[in-house]
Amino acid sequence: MAVVKKKDGRWFCVFYDDNGKQVWKSFGRGVEAKKAAQAFDYEIKAKKKKNIAITSTPKIDITHLAQEYLDTKRKSLHPHTTNKIIFLINEIVAPIISGKNITSLTKRDLLQIIKKLEERNLSQATINRYIAYLQAILNWGVKHDFIPHNPFAGYKKPKEEPYKTPIITPQEFQKLLTVAPEHLSWALFVEFYTGCRPGTTELFALKWEDINWEQQTLTIYGHKTKKIRTVFLNDAFFEMLKEKYQNRDSEYIISYKGKPVKSLKRSWATAKKKAGITKRLRLYDLRHAFATYMIAHGADVKAVSDMLGHSNTEITVNRYYQLVEDLKKKAVQLLPVFNLSNNPTSPKDPLPNKNVRQRH
């Protein structure tokens, strides 16, 4: 029996149960953790003297394990991921299995968690991602001796339906701009003409100082790829930037009442509803539109790839080839229609209405 401090700063009480199995019970980090480990060690020694049975499976529930995981991983996890894990544990997992010893959990508990996620009408991809977070916590617990095994090990996630990137039409984009509040319509405009990643890492992080007014370019500091890239700006959009710059109320290009924007989810959902757009459309799809329309109109793939911040052009080709092909299919339908008689349909006329009897 002993109190041990590991290299990562965690305090453990090490003891042997009645079956001779060595047990490492964790108490976390810091002075209080050390005191708790010492107190538990004293308790174990007292039980030994009185010949009281000592269990080898100390009770630990999912909320405590998740907190240990986040305390250790907080610096390496993206804040977005941390918030997702907190939501998962507090809103989904805890109401079902909090208070239960992790070692006593079964696959039935996991199915209840999955059912609760499904009740929120989440996609299979999102559900799989949440279960992956939970599995990461449990596997980490096994690796660091908090629990003897992962009770949900062996679970195979269902196949996800591949996400088909929708093509936002110019008409749909104009509808969104018309119904959106000013700060949202400007954000959509910037997203459409720069192709940066939406969110706090790129779009909301853009500052006026990132614009080179002489070269008509925008510098984007990519958080995901750690690359700095340059985007050349469309002439009409550049003129709008100049106008906005003259009336700026913040150092950030995207702002609301002088403060930087952190999220557009609610206003984006409201704008789509007002615009009558029912198909699945994300802010990220405006980034796709930036690339798709340029490639479809003959832009150099390498140039587009560089402006998107892709590590290689193969990613760009694989991601946007089908979108461009879909645009081509729609484009050929815009060609004028002729026939072989002496009275050809005018090139300026729309397609003949098949429901109307044609004159000969």
Side-chain angles (χ1 to χ4, degrees):
M1 291 168 285
V3 173
V4 178
K5 182 181 181 181
K6 287 198 171 183
K7 290 182 179 180
D8 61 3
R10 289 180 296 132
W11 287 95
F12 287 83
C13 178
V14 184
F15 61 94
Y16 290 88
D17 64 13
D18 290 341
N19 297 318
K21 180 181 178 181
Q22 189 182 63
V23 179
W24 286 66
K25 179 172 174 59
S26 173
F27 291 87
R29 298 174 177 80
V31 177
E32 294 303 318
K34 180 181 179 180
K35 291 179 180 179
Q38 290 172 335
F40 187 81
D41 183 60
Y42 178 81
E43 181 184 339
I44 291 294
K45 289 176 180 177
K47 286 182 177 181
K48 286 280 187 179
K49 288 182 180 180
K50 296 179 181 180
N51 293 321
I52 299 175
I54 300 173
T55 177
S56 62
T57 56
K59 184 176 180 179
I60 180 169
D61 73 0
I62 189 64
T63 53
H64 294 114
L65 182 62
Q67 190 59 58
E68 287 283 351
Y69 175 82
L70 289 175
D71 287 345
T72 304
K73 295 280 190 176
R74 197 173 293 275
K75 290 184 178 180
S76 60
L77 289 176
H78 190 281
H80 178 74
T81 302
T82 299
N83 291 336
K84 290 289 185 182
I85 292 175
I86 292 173
F87 162 79
L88 171 67
I89 299 299
N90 293 341
E91 302 297 328
I92 306 296
V93 176
I96 298 174
I97 63 174
S98 182
K100 292 184 179 180
N101 193 338
I102 289 179
T103 57
S104 66
L105 298 178
T106 65
K107 295 293 174 59
R108 181 175 294 181
D109 295 304
L110 178 59
L111 293 177
Q112 285 185 292
I113 293 170
I114 293 173
K115 183 179 179 181
K116 196 170 182 68
L117 287 168
E118 291 173 340
E119 289 172 354
R120 291 180 172 259
N121 295 319
L122 302 175
S123 67
Q124 188 61 57
T126 302
I127 292 174
N128 287 348
R129 187 159 56 250
Y130 277 122
I131 298 303
Y133 292 150
L134 181 58
Q135 293 282 36
I137 293 170
L138 293 170
N139 289 332
W140 180 87
V142 174
K143 181 179 179 180
H144 292 85
D145 303 316
F146 284 96
I147 53 177
H149 68 278
N150 177 355
F152 301 151
Y155 169 76
K156 294 183 179 180
K157 61 183 181 181
K159 289 184 178 180
E160 305 168 8
E161 291 185 9
Y163 177 75
K164 185 177 181 181
T165 305
I167 300 176
I168 182 170
T169 65
Q171 293 78 11
E172 289 171 332
F173 188 63
Q174 185 59 60
K175 285 182 181 179
L176 286 167
L177 294 177
T178 302
V179 301
E182 184 179 354
H183 74 287
L184 174 61
S185 61
W186 175 239
L188 299 183
F189 217 75
V190 174
E191 174 65 26
F192 189 88
Y193 282 103
T194 64
C196 61
R197 295 177 176 88
T200 55
T201 59
E202 289 191 8
L203 179 62
F204 302 154
L206 296 177
K207 295 183 177 181
W208 292 110
E209 63 185 31
D210 299 330
I211 299 175
N212 186 318
W213 299 102
E214 294 181 359
Q215 297 182 12
Q216 197 169 319
T217 60
L218 172 69
T219 300
I220 299 176
Y221 300 88
H223 181 275
K224 181 177 180 180
T225 59
K226 309 298 181 184
K227 290 175 62 177
I228 299 176
R229 63 186 191 274
T230 300
V231 174
F232 289 86
L233 302 173
N234 172 278
D235 289 343
F237 174 59
F238 188 62
E239 292 303 315
M240 290 194 68
L241 277 171
K242 288 181 181 178
E243 183 180 340
K244 284 284 185 179
Y245 179 72
Q246 296 301 321
N247 300 303
R248 67 190 182 282
D249 58 1
S250 169
E251 63 178 324
Y252 291 92
I253 294 178
I254 308 297
S255 63
Y256 179 69
K257 295 183 178 180
K259 296 181 179 180
V261 174
K262 294 183 179 180
S263 175
L264 292 172
K265 287 184 178 180
R266 185 175 297 178
S267 57
W268 169 248
T270 302
K272 285 194 297 181
K273 187 175 182 180
K274 287 183 177 180
I277 297 175
T278 56
K279 70 183 182 183
R280 185 183 179 189
L281 194 65
R282 310 165 304 171
L283 273 172
Y284 208 98
D285 293 321
L286 296 182
R287 170 175 160 87
H288 294 319
F290 168 82
T292 303
Y293 282 111
M294 283 198 295
I295 294 174
H297 287 83
D300 178 71
V301 175
K302 178 64 168 61
V304 175
S305 181
D306 289 343
M307 286 191 285
L308 289 171
H310 288 166
S311 57
N312 58 71
T313 55
E314 186 176 347
I315 295 175
T316 312
V317 172
N318 292 339
R319 187 164 295 171
Y320 298 108
Y321 174 78
Q322 187 56 50
L323 289 177
V324 171
E325 289 301 298
D326 291 343
L327 282 177
K328 289 178 181 177
K329 290 178 184 178
K330 292 181 180 180
V332 296
Q333 302 306 322
L334 300 177
L335 291 170
V337 178
F338 299 89
N339 58 43
L340 296 177
S341 68
N342 293 328
N343 298 310
T345 303
S346 170
K348 296 182 180 179
D349 289 344
L351 289 172
N353 189 334
K354 295 182 179 178
N355 296 321
V356 179
R357 186 176 178 181
Q358 302 296 310
R359 296 167 59 186
H360 297 285

